[in-house]
Amino acid sequence: MTAKRILIGACILTCAALVGLFLTFYERYTEERDLGFGPEARRNPFLAAEQYLADIGLLPRQADNISVLQGLSPNTTLYISSSSQVYNSTKAEALINWVEQGGHAIVVAYTGDFDSDAERGENRDWLLEELDVSIEEGHGHFELEETLEQLLGEDAVLTPEQSPADAMREHNRQIDERESEADAKTEPEEEEKPRNPSVDPEDLVTLPTDNGDEIQLYLNASHLLYHPAFDDSNITDGPVFYAKVWRDDTAVPFMQFERGSGVITLLTDATLWQSRRIGHFDHAYFLQLLAGGDEFVFLTRPRFDSLPQLARQYGAEFFIAGALALLAWLLLHGRRFGPLQPAPEVTRRSLLEHISACGHYYWQDDQCEALLRGYRGELLRRLAATDLSATQKHNLCDKLSASTGLDERVLVATLWGKPPSTEESFTEHMRNLQRIEAVL
């Protein structure tokens, strides 16, 4: 047995021993962590309500404009998250006509922040005007309590004397104590958190049901609804049902109107059925009681993702597309065939260089013979020597020799000789023709 086989066998035995030890001492551990709402729940605050209605047999869906009324059947429940979405008298009249045919509209009255009554009057609420309903200030402690509960959790117990900073410090101290107690125990006991927030029973609204039971609601009473029928019993088109938070209130957070065969339910609490509050008290059951028919439409304002959310959602695609575009650009500008060409000259050449370059081009292109033939024919025409005998040519050469100083043989070769075959002879012929032309 060689040393190599011994080494391989030892490695196999070691791996088998490690696997056996892992399987012997391995213990599965499961831990649940609450990471909060997912992306879909953050985009749709009524996701829990939609799932609840779907479980009880209804067909929930979303809409973002009051024009959805044109396609709704009377056997439908329409939830309008803000009465400001009924933005003119025509839409308010259309909504009431649809309710009179048998529809059920659940409308949250718009209680936006206005600096003065004049500003509130400029922003008219057409639906509330049709129902002769006005908005009044209510109890202002709900918002602080709800915000702290959202931050600290449902098990936070808040007192009116505590400031938000004191409540946060107290909550952190309780968390540290629970963690210390859990570390001291060998088997920590799981404590079930209460489903409902800790509120004063006087702040709860109790409503009767058809089967004789009662339901409890925790409504935001920072703004309340008022109708003149509360003080005048002679008004016949007032609300048929309403509920007060406290007995001495002159306005209510919830009321219902009958119009024709349908019902209009008015609320001042826009978060009652949102995902973070629908599980409190009997809010979900209250929604089930109000929902009738086969379809439930949530008419909410359009919600768009913020820039950081879009960046997280499409960041990978953006960088991949950018990397591919950069790679394509590098491939486009990085490819070449053959050696690099010299850089072109940017300076202009002189006139003599231009003439020299043209002459070399004509010579290489065999065009100099035609140039010489045309120049020679023009001189012979001017000398009237196109058709001369030998004696006449001799006499003409004598005259030209006397005036130009050229030899007679040179004159004969220039005027009637063969075309030159070299650059030097061509240049000499052209110079002689120019001397002859100069004496004419």
Side-chain angles (χ1 to χ4, degrees):
M1 181 178 294
T2 62
K4 182 177 180 181
R5 292 183 178 181
I6 295 175
L7 182 61
I8 293 176
C11 292
I12 293 175
L13 292 176
T14 303
C15 292
L18 292 176
V19 171
L21 291 174
F22 176 77
L23 295 177
T24 302
F25 297 101
Y26 169 76
E27 181 180 359
R28 181 180 295 274
Y29 175 74
T30 303
E31 181 181 0
E32 293 184 1
R33 294 185 178 181
D34 186 5
L35 301 179
F37 290 160
E40 185 178 359
R42 287 194 295 268
R43 287 192 296 267
N44 181 13
F46 296 98
L47 180 62
E50 291 182 6
Q51 295 177 351
Y52 176 75
L53 293 175
D55 290 341
I56 63 176
L58 297 181
L59 300 175
R61 65 183 179 93
Q62 288 276 345
D64 56 9
N65 195 286
I66 192 62
S67 59
V68 72
L69 280 173
Q70 300 176 359
L72 291 182
S73 65
N75 192 26
T76 302
T77 303
L78 176 63
Y79 174 80
I80 303 177
S81 62
S82 175
S83 58
S84 61
Q85 292 181 283
V86 187
Y87 47 83
N88 56 35
S89 58
T90 303
K91 298 300 182 182
E93 184 179 356
L95 177 61
I96 293 177
N97 291 336
W98 175 76
V99 171
E100 290 177 349
Q101 297 174 6
H104 182 192
I106 305 174
V107 184
V108 178
Y110 177 69
T111 59
D113 296 331
F114 299 102
D115 295 334
S116 62
D117 295 337
E119 185 178 353
R120 181 186 295 274
E122 293 176 359
N123 297 271
R124 300 179 60 180
D125 197 317
W126 297 95
L127 181 60
L128 296 188
E129 289 183 7
E130 289 287 338
L131 300 175
D132 199 13
V133 175
S134 59
I135 304 294
E136 292 187 357
E137 296 293 334
H139 315 290
H141 65 277
F142 182 88
E143 181 178 358
L144 174 63
E145 190 170 325
E146 187 69 9
T147 302
L148 289 177
E149 285 181 0
Q150 182 180 359
L151 292 173
L152 306 181
E154 295 180 351
D155 57 345
V157 180
L158 309 177
T159 61
E161 294 80 10
Q162 282 183 318
S163 65
D166 294 337
M168 289 289 292
R169 285 192 290 267
E170 178 66 20
H171 181 68
N172 293 332
R173 186 188 63 79
Q174 294 177 2
I175 292 178
D176 294 338
E177 289 181 356
R178 286 197 296 266
E179 290 180 352
S180 300
E181 293 176 358
D183 294 338
K185 295 180 180 179
T186 56
E187 296 181 358
E189 297 179 359
E190 296 184 359
E191 297 181 0
E192 184 178 357
K193 295 182 180 181
R195 179 172 63 91
N196 300 323
S198 177
V199 298
D200 192 341
E202 294 184 357
D203 295 334
L204 298 177
V205 176
T206 303
L207 299 178
T209 60
D210 295 338
N211 56 10
D213 297 333
E214 292 182 347
I215 60 175
Q216 287 185 327
L217 308 176
Y218 181 45
L219 298 173
N220 184 353
S222 58
H223 292 84
L224 301 176
L225 303 171
Y226 175 79
H227 194 276
F230 295 161
D231 300 325
D232 189 356
S233 59
N234 295 324
I235 298 177
T236 59
D237 59 348
V240 296
F241 182 78
Y242 58 89
K244 293 185 178 182
V245 179
W246 294 344
R247 290 185 178 182
D248 56 349
D249 286 340
T250 58
V252 298
F254 162 76
M255 62 174 60
Q256 282 187 326
F257 294 85
E258 287 186 354
R259 290 295 184 268
S261 302
V263 178
I264 298 178
T265 301
L266 281 183
L267 298 170
T268 56
D269 192 344
T271 63
L272 183 65
W273 294 310
Q274 291 186 3
S275 298
R276 62 188 180 92
R277 291 193 57 208
I278 192 173
H280 295 169
F281 299 99
D282 299 316
H283 296 173
Y285 184 59
F286 182 49
L287 177 63
Q288 179 180 348
L289 294 178
L290 293 178
D294 299 329
E295 190 176 18
F296 196 104
V297 179
F298 287 90
L299 178 57
T300 59
R301 294 185 181 276
R303 182 180 177 86
F304 303 99
D305 293 336
S306 62
L307 184 59
Q309 291 176 344
L310 293 176
R312 287 194 299 269
Q313 186 175 0
Y314 300 104
E317 291 84 348
F318 174 78
F319 287 109
I320 291 175
L324 293 177
L326 178 61
L327 179 61
W329 183 84
L330 292 176
L331 292 177
L332 177 63
H333 292 272
R335 62 178 185 179
R336 63 181 178 86
F337 300 96
L340 292 176
Q341 296 182 353
E345 297 182 0
V346 295
T347 58
R348 299 182 61 182
R349 58 190 177 186
S350 64
L351 179 61
L352 292 178
E353 291 176 339
H354 179 72
I355 294 174
S356 176
C358 291
H360 283 291
Y361 171 77
Y362 286 130
W363 180 261
Q364 294 177 0
D365 199 35
D366 295 333
Q367 298 184 22
C368 291
E369 183 177 352
L371 180 63
L372 179 63
R373 188 183 305 111
Y375 195 9
R376 179 189 289 177
E378 179 63 21
L379 285 178
L380 292 176
R381 184 186 64 78
R382 294 176 63 184
L383 293 170
T386 55
D387 296 324
L388 296 178
S389 61
T391 303
Q392 293 174 339
K393 292 180 180 179
H394 179 70
N395 295 333
L396 179 61
C397 289
D398 289 339
K399 295 179 180 180
L400 293 176
S401 178
S403 57
T404 60
L406 296 174
D407 189 76
E408 293 184 3
R409 291 177 297 177
V410 174
L411 291 172
V412 171
T414 301
L415 294 175
W416 297 284
K418 295 182 179 180
S421 58
T422 62
E423 296 181 6
E424 291 77 7
S425 60
F426 173 77
T427 303
E428 184 67 23
H429 275 69
M430 294 296 294
R431 186 180 297 111
N432 294 336
L433 290 175
Q434 289 175 354
R435 292 177 65 179
I436 296 171
E437 184 182 14
V439 300
L440 295 181

